[in-house]
Amino acid sequence: MMEVAKENMRQPAHLLIFPAPLQGHINAMLPLADALSFAGSLRVTFLNTDHNHRLLSFFSPSQYSRFSLRPNLRFLSIPDGLSDDKPRSAYQLTELFHSLRTHSVDSFRALLLAGGNKDRDGWPPVTCIIVDGLMPYFMDEAQALGIPVLAFRTISASSLWVYLQIPQMIEAGELPFPADADLDEHIKSVPAMEGFLRRRDLPSMCRKATKADDKELQLFTNFAASSTRSKGLIFNTSDSLEAPILSQIDSIFPTTYAVGPLHALVESITSSSVSASLLAEDRSALNWLDAQPYRSVVYVSFGSLARLTHEEFLEFWHGFVNSGHRFLWVVRPDLVAEGTAAVEMAGLEERVRLVAWAPQEAVLRHRAVGCFITHSGWNSTLESAAAGVPMVCWPWAWDQLVNSRLVGEVWKVGLDMKDVCKREMVESMVRAAMEGEKAEELRRKATDLAVEIRRSVGEGGDARLDFERLLRDILSLSLCASIA
Ligand code: UDP
């Protein structure tokens, strides 16, 4: 072991970063690869599945060529075990993750045993790994081979904290609760959230569970707890966003790093932004925005996975039209569960511009955008917060129900229309976020939060200091890697 450690001291540190093969996870972890490799003191391999690698190379070629100019950053890929024509959307996630666990672990191990050298290009062996906390089996595999692993959770610290507290909520008798229970009742057994967390804000599997040993509850609790087996946990958040929760979580893990929002951190460090899309970005959305008045447009996106029923889509559409405002609406080809008729009809309305996939960060920064209707995925929430754009939240599933509560009740930079999808509600939320005193108040708070985020990721800020500590720790952990 000593010999290997000495050997590693002569080898450059080589970090491998492996996100779960989903758009939101890549968007969170690629900026970290960018920022860490920019520092220059280590080599970074970003590992994708073959399927996503092909899509990213096709739809984000300029991103790939920008990175190809940096000799210490490269992309590799391994199979996810599914055939190419298999869809990998929200409804196939169980199958995708089952396939990763049963098929990809062997390829992952083989890659590490080959010194992280798939193509014999002379890179040194992998000395440290950052793996998505959603795939603990890769973490266990790497640690068994003697490579130190840090876990990365792409959800908010608050959501992870709620998952970690599921056993306590069960013990306190607060979970499960009957289907007809008052959803506005506060949850008292989750420290630091007593003041704002209601039954209504719990992740979707908590609301669905009917017994304490519910399988999905256990699955999410186990995933959350599995990251404690890593050398440390990285979050895409910072004290400016979730300080009280981070200090609770800190005591459970060997160490934690709050380095987010990473898209803002990377911009502060490298003066450029990262974008990597699995779908073709429609940049004409920006030209359309250029022609719209200042803060006149409502940007609408439900992320990369959420699906709307036909009825929900129509309720949104009527609410939008009745509000009299202009909309830029991301309607992915698979957004509406049953067919395209409603989408075709929606596209005929002059004030509602539909696109299949937008350059979201650029859209949120555009002067024409007045507010963001979002499903409250964590990346979208961070991108809106960093751009100072007020949100109207319609959380679709999982952790999004916690995030929207942060937006509405803790940061007070948006409105939470959780659980209601009626055209009157949509219209009144849009009006409140775009017109009059309430809109001004939300905009003021959102601007303050954006300033705070910029401070946090800038030189000497808490997220930047955590990032620098993370880099130092990766270098010193690399000295302990003992893979043969
Ligand atoms: N996104 C995008 N264009 C779109 C819609 C979404 O680039 O038209 C990006 C968005 O910027 C974010 C990611 O897709 O980084 C979605 O991640 P999020 O965590 O918000 O939601 P998820 O898709 O994981 O539910």
Side-chain angles (χ1 to χ4, degrees), residues 56-118:
L56 289 169
S57 320
F58 191 69
F59 291 124
S60 303
S62 58
Q63 189 65 62
Y64 268 44
S65 53
R66 176 164 93 77
F67 283 141
S68 69
L69 300 174
R70 202 176 294 163
N72 63 331
L73 174 61
R74 68 170 179 179
F75 293 86
L76 287 183
S77 62
I78 55 174
D80 63 16
L82 297 179
S83 62
D84 275 348
D85 54 347
K86 258 247 164 326
R88 285 147 171 93
S89 70
Y91 292 95
Q92 285 85 22
L93 288 188
T94 309
E95 202 179 338
L96 174 61
F97 281 92
H98 177 74
S99 178
L100 286 166
R101 197 170 62 241
T102 50
H103 292 104
S104 306
V105 171
D106 286 347
S107 316
F108 182 70
R109 186 189 317 109
L111 181 70
L112 297 179
L113 286 172
N117 254 334
K118 202 176 179 185

Side-chain angles (χ1 to χ4, degrees), residues 8-74:
N8 280 338
M9 283 169 89
R10 279 180 253 123
Q11 301 263 19
H14 177 185
L15 173 72
L16 181 134
I17 300 185
F18 189 15
L22 300 170
Q23 180 74 69
H25 293 241
I26 294 169
N27 283 16
M29 291 174 77
L30 188 55
L32 182 63
D34 190 1
L36 287 169
S37 65
F38 187 80
S41 44
L42 73 164
R43 294 189 184 213
V44 180
T45 294
F46 195 80
L47 188 63
N48 282 307
T49 57
D50 292 343
H51 179 83
N52 284 351
H53 186 66
R54 268 195 301 277
L55 293 175
L56 289 169
S57 320
F58 191 69
F59 291 124
S60 303
S62 58
Q63 189 65 62
Y64 268 44
S65 53
R66 176 164 93 77
F67 283 141
S68 69
L69 300 174
R70 202 176 294 163
N72 63 331
L73 174 61
R74 68 170 179 179

Side-chain angles (χ1 to χ4, degrees), residues 23-24 27 277 281 299 301-305 330 356-361 375 377-381 383 400:
Q23 180 74 69
N27 283 16
S277 280
E281 270 182 0
Y299 172 57
S301 160
F302 299 109
S304 63
L305 295 169
V330 176
W357 192 251
Q360 179 159 303
E361 267 191 74
H375 70 311
W378 189 234
N379 291 296
S380 295
T381 305
E383 288 156 15
Q400 299 154 19

Side-chain angles (χ1 to χ4, degrees), residues 51-253:
H51 179 83
N52 284 351
H53 186 66
R54 268 195 301 277
L55 293 175
L56 289 169
S57 320
F58 191 69
F59 291 124
S60 303
S62 58
Q63 189 65 62
Y64 268 44
S65 53
R66 176 164 93 77
F67 283 141
S68 69
L69 300 174
R70 202 176 294 163
N72 63 331
L73 174 61
R74 68 170 179 179
F75 293 86
L76 287 183
S77 62
I78 55 174
D80 63 16
L82 297 179
S83 62
D84 275 348
D85 54 347
K86 258 247 164 326
R88 285 147 171 93
S89 70
Y91 292 95
Q92 285 85 22
L93 288 188
T94 309
E95 202 179 338
L96 174 61
F97 281 92
H98 177 74
S99 178
L100 286 166
R101 197 170 62 241
T102 50
H103 292 104
S104 306
V105 171
D106 286 347
S107 316
F108 182 70
R109 186 189 317 109
L111 181 70
L112 297 179
L113 286 172
N117 254 334
K118 202 176 179 185
D119 44 8
R120 302 187 184 285
D121 56 4
W123 274 47
V126 173
T127 55
C128 185
I129 293 180
I130 295 177
V131 75
D132 197 312
L134 215 51
M135 309 187 299
Y137 26 90
F138 291 111
M139 173 178 78
D140 295 337
E141 194 61 38
Q143 300 209 126
L145 291 173
I147 306 176
V149 178
L150 296 163
F152 188 122
R153 286 310 306 253
T154 58
I155 54 176
S156 61
S158 302
S159 306
L160 185 73
W161 184 231
V162 172
Y163 289 146
L164 287 165
Q165 293 297 307
I166 286 174
Q168 283 73 6
M169 285 190 267
I170 291 174
E171 206 176 304
E174 295 196 280
L175 254 191
F177 47 81
D180 60 353
D182 175 7
L183 291 178
D184 291 321
E185 176 98 11
H186 276 240
I187 299 287
K188 299 177 197 80
S189 56
V190 179
M193 290 189 162
E194 303 89 343
F196 63 89
L197 189 74
R198 305 161 301 178
R199 284 177 177 152
R200 189 183 294 287
D201 307 313
L202 292 174
S204 36
M205 74 287 309
C206 296
R207 283 171 59 168
K208 275 189 260 158
T210 53
K211 43 190 182 41
D213 62 352
D214 177 89
K215 261 172 87 179
E216 217 185 333
L217 271 189
Q218 285 183 348
L219 185 77
F220 277 80
T221 313
N222 292 344
F223 274 136
S226 64
S227 296
T228 57
R229 301 200 295 272
S230 68
K231 298 285 181 199
L233 180 62
I234 304 167
F235 280 114
N236 194 9
T237 191
S238 67
D239 283 347
S240 57
L241 296 163
E242 297 184 277
I245 306 300
L246 283 166
S247 66
Q248 293 284 340
I249 289 189
D250 214 27
S251 59
I252 300 182
F253 291 89

